[in-house]
Amino acid sequence: MVDCDLKSFFDEVNHGELMKRLREHVDDPRWLRLIARYLKAGMILPNGTFEDTAKGVPQGGPLSPLMANVLLNELDHELEARGHSFVRYADDFVILCRSPRAGRRIMDRVRRFLQRRLKLIVNEAKSKVVKLSEAAYLGFQILRGRVRWSPESRKEFKASIRGITGRTRGVSPRQVIEELTLYARGALNYYMIGVNYAEVLELDGWIRRRMRLFYWNGPKDRHGDR
């Protein structure tokens, strides 16, 4: 599998290339002007200073994933024309191949295409050609024909739980339970396709133990409950 990572994609999107492709599909100049203003609106940094945005699209904005698809749609067509099997979600994409040699050849061609046509840079440190069993995509792996969440995803999940249930946080058990419920429900809904029932039971027991330790050692809430 060719695992290709784009270097700081949302920060490096070339406005000229993006607007050129938008003009191919959008006839209304008012929409084009509005999108151009959105792209160049600038941003306020954490220290309160304003910074111009000569390139890139705002991360977290509702329009940014759409803009990513508009720009990378040309990459999809290029890979389809070459007969490659691939999956892309926003700026994350992987390409299946038959051998490491074929994978390296595909990586070189994709790198040149992205640089010349879309003005995007491949992150060499994070891009690689690996066996399918050793690769992870959007937090999942395919092992022996089954979808599993990756060890890194499990590690990040448990680290987040530890952060929420840390005994030195200085918040009430009630607040911790609310945060824990929101996070665990969202994360497990996302990863459920790759988590088996035995793991769910194990994680449930581990989370309950974490919560008991917090309850016994944490601060009292305003009602005097622990």
Side-chain angles (χ1 to χ4, degrees), residues 116-220:
R116 293 174 182 175
R117 295 292 296 274
L118 304 181
K119 304 295 189 294
L120 296 173
I121 304 299
V122 171
N123 188 330
E124 303 292 346
K126 294 184 178 180
S127 299
K128 54 190 179 296
V129 178
V130 293
K131 292 181 179 179
L132 185 61
S133 60
E134 299 172 359
Y137 181 62
L138 300 180
F140 294 95
Q141 289 181 302
I142 298 178
L143 301 175
R144 295 182 292 277
R146 300 184 63 182
V147 177
R148 300 283 297 155
W149 66 339
S150 67
E152 290 78 14
S153 297
R154 179 186 173 96
K155 186 183 299 183
E156 289 176 5
F157 174 82
K158 297 190 78 170
S160 296
I161 296 294
R162 290 191 185 96
I164 294 172
T165 58
R167 284 172 282 174
T168 59
R169 288 192 61 197
V171 298
S172 71
R174 186 170 302 171
Q175 180 177 336
V176 170
I177 290 173
E178 290 176 356
E179 294 178 15
L180 188 61
T181 301
L182 287 174
Y183 174 77
R185 182 180 295 154
L188 287 176
N189 280 339
Y190 178 79
Y191 288 117
M192 189 56 66
I193 190 175
V195 183
N196 60 41
Y197 184 63
E199 283 182 296
V200 172
L201 293 179
E202 176 194 344
L203 290 169
D204 179 69
W206 176 73
I207 291 172
R208 289 176 184 274
R209 289 194 296 274
R210 294 283 311 178
M211 196 61 226
R212 281 198 295 270
L213 287 172
F214 182 89
Y215 187 78
W216 290 334
N217 298 283
K220 295 181 179 180

